[in-house]
């Protein structure tokens, strides 16, 4: 295929994604795109998101049509400069169609699926992608799991080994929680690192996972290469306690949908499948007790129960926040002052790594 022509294809967001639905194009044919330009909105079985351009050029052809359902890897559009003849674009599309095999992107998926490791008698689930480089460890938030990183994992793994685990009480890990505090979870993560032979890692924590990463960096700074905190707990007293208590208490589909929508600046990003997954998780044995214990450790009345400071952090710190966060205010991003590199992304909410994955991935890779 011509090196002057670049393809935009259906992405694979998470292990379960086999196909995506085209919700609509965000730019017109003939418009210039650059790396990071949101080009087309796609809905997977988990969430809706925008596919970004990875090259600069003109969108010469919109191949996919609105409401069309296409397999992972299918051709969505073509980018090329104005001097590339239309006949060459046509030939590129025909050649792609002749060579494309639906489902080929899923080859090796079983081997790449979730793994289980035992840490202090507790089963922890995790996924790993990439190889080499300095390892990076992703720690999800309250009520989340490793799938919260479905827009980030593959991109971050392009240059290094990346791990995403399920904390105790979450995902596919054991639901029993010995110590529900951030410090207790940090001890579990340290055990996870020990078991996998990770002497050091770059830590990325979201929400409660940020508080866990903070606690780990204070407990064992020699194990942490850097700290990236995304909409992190543990940096200030304000928090949406109603959200936390509501999430613990409810097993109602409608209420879970309402609560999930508070996580996003755009509530339309919450799909039926995402709510179905939350409902299945909430109905698992032991989940209610685990979440209640974690919420109780995190809250002091309607405010965060902050861990006592144990001196300044001894590792580089990056803070990323959505300006429209309704769970933890973005003002907390400034708590560490000049000690941290701060990025507040306009128009995004608490799940900023899912709402603005391209920008977050570029910041984390920097």
């Amino acid at each position: 295929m011509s090196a002057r022509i670049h393809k935009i294809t259906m992405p694979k967001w998470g292990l379960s994604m086999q196909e995506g639905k085209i919700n609509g194009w965000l730019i017109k044919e003939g418009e210039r795109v650059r790396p990071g330009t949101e080009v087309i909105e796609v809905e997977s079985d988990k969430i809706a998101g925008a596919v970004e351009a990875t090259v600069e050029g003109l969108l010469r052809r919109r191949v996919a049509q609105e409401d069309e359902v296409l397999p992972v890897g299918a051709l969505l559009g073509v980018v090329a400069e104005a001097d590339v003849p239309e006949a060459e674009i046509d030939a590129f599309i025909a050649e792609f169609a002749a060579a494309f095999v639906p489902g080929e992107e899923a080859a090796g998926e079983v081997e790449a699926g979730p793994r289980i490791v035992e840490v202090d008698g507790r089963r922890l689930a995790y996924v790993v992608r990439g190889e080499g480089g300095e390892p990076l460890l992703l720690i999800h938030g309250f009520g989340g799991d490793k799938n919260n990183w479905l827009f980030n994992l593959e991109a971050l793994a392009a240059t290094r080994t990346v791990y995403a685990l399920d904390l105790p009480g979450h995902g596919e890990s054991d639901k029993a929680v010995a110590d529900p505090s951030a410090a207790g979870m940090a001890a579990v993560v340290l055990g996870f690192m020990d078991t996998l032979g990770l002497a050091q890692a770059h830590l990325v924590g979201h929400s409660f996972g940020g508080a866990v990463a903070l606690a780990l960096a204070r407990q064992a700074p020699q194990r942490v290469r850097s700290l990236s905190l995304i909409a992190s707990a543990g940096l200030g007293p304000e928090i949406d306690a109603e959200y936390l208590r509501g999430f613990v208490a409810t097993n109602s589909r409608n209420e879970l949908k309402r609560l999930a929508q508070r996580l996003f600046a755009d509530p339309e990003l919450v799909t039926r499948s995402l709510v179905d997954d939350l409902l299945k998780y909430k109905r698992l044995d032991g989940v209610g007790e685990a979440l209640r214990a974690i919420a109780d450790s995190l809250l002091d009345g309607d405010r965060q129960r902050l861990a006592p400071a144990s001196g300044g952090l001894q590792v580089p710190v990056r803070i990323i926040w959505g300006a429209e966060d309704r769970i933890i205010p973005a003002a907390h991003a400034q708590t560490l002052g000049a000690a941290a590199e701060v990025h507040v992304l306009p128009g995004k909410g608490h799940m900023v790594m899912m709402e603005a994955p391209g920008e977050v991935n570029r910041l984390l890779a920097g």
Side-chain angles (χ1 to χ4, degrees):
M1 292 188 179
S2 172
R4 300 199 300 161
I5 303 175
H6 307 278
K7 59 188 178 183
I8 301 171
T9 59
M10 180 68 73
K12 184 170 180 62
W13 291 328
L15 286 174
S16 66
M17 184 173 174
Q18 301 295 320
E19 61 186 19
K21 178 185 175 183
I22 307 303
N23 283 346
W25 284 91
L26 303 175
I27 65 171
K28 299 176 181 178
E29 287 185 353
E31 286 190 54
R32 179 162 292 277
V33 301
R34 293 175 175 80
T37 301
E38 295 185 347
V39 176
I40 185 171
E41 187 175 90
V42 167
E43 184 174 325
S44 75
D45 60 346
K46 300 297 182 188
I47 193 170
V51 179
E52 296 183 349
T54 58
V55 297
E56 181 168 356
L58 303 177
L59 180 65
R60 294 290 300 276
R61 195 71 59 84
R62 302 198 309 192
V63 177
Q65 303 301 311
E66 189 168 341
D67 293 330
E68 194 172 4
V69 176
L70 296 169
V72 168
L75 186 64
L76 305 180
V78 174
V79 174
E81 292 296 350
D83 62 346
V84 176
E86 288 293 330
E88 202 169 323
I89 302 290
D90 292 338
F92 179 93
I93 294 171
E95 186 179 349
F96 184 97
F100 177 62
V101 179
E104 198 172 55
E105 294 284 329
E109 189 170 288
V110 173
E111 294 79 0
R115 304 181 185 187
I116 300 291
V117 64
E118 188 167 308
V119 177
D120 295 331
R122 180 186 294 106
R123 287 163 50 89
L124 297 180
Y126 72 100
V127 292
V128 58
R129 293 287 185 279
E131 58 184 22
E134 296 179 340
L136 185 147
L137 176 57
L138 304 171
I139 308 172
H140 65 78
F142 176 82
D145 62 21
K146 56 188 175 296
N147 290 320
N148 289 167
W149 307 103
L150 57 85
F151 290 160
N152 318 104
L153 193 59
E154 300 293 346
L156 296 174
T159 57
R160 63 174 69 185
T161 308
V162 181
Y163 301 85
L165 83 161
D166 287 336
L167 291 171
H170 295 80
E172 297 173 273
S173 291
D174 283 351
K175 300 305 179 284
V177 178
D179 182 347
S181 69
M185 292 290 187
V188 172
V189 176
L190 271 173
F192 174 82
M193 291 174 64
D194 290 340
T195 303
L196 268 62
L198 303 177
Q200 292 184 317
H202 296 269
L203 301 185
V204 179
H206 172 249
S207 197
F208 177 64
V212 173
L214 269 168
L216 196 158
R218 286 174 169 141
Q219 289 175 20
Q222 73 281 5
R223 305 293 298 275
V224 181
R225 295 285 292 165
S226 71
L227 196 58
S228 293
L229 306 174
I230 302 177
S232 180
L235 294 177
E238 295 84 9
I239 193 168
D240 185 352
E242 180 187 349
Y243 166 81
L244 292 177
R245 294 196 176 104
F247 188 83
V248 170
T250 190
N251 277 317
S252 158
R253 178 186 300 278
N254 288 340
E255 181 64 7
L256 275 175
K257 180 178 181 180
R258 184 186 73 82
L259 290 168
Q261 288 177 330
R262 288 162 76 164
L263 297 170
F264 297 85
D266 179 3
E268 295 302 315
L269 293 176
V270 176
T271 64
R272 180 179 179 84
S273 179
L274 186 151
V275 177
D276 287 344
D277 287 348
L278 287 176
L279 194 59
K280 290 175 187 175
Y281 164 64
K282 286 299 307 299
R283 289 175 174 173
L284 294 174
D285 288 344
V287 166
E289 293 84 351
L291 291 178
R292 187 170 295 107
I294 296 168
D296 287 346
S297 77
L298 185 60
L299 293 176
D300 181 8
D302 287 341
R303 295 164 77 82
Q304 291 191 56
R305 189 190 311 275
L306 299 177
S310 55
L313 291 165
Q314 302 173 37
V315 299
V317 182
R318 176 189 294 112
I319 297 177
I320 303 171
W321 226 289
E324 307 303 319
D325 194 330
R326 289 185 283 173
I327 306 301
I328 304 175
H332 290 191
Q334 310 300 331
T335 302
L336 299 180
E341 168 194 319
V342 175
H343 304 270
V344 178
L345 306 189
K348 307 303 176 185
H350 191 63
M351 301 299 288
V352 62
M353 73 284 195
M354 301 180 81
E355 294 180 273
E359 181 62 19
V360 171
N361 292 340
R362 284 188 286 275
L363 290 171
L364 293 177

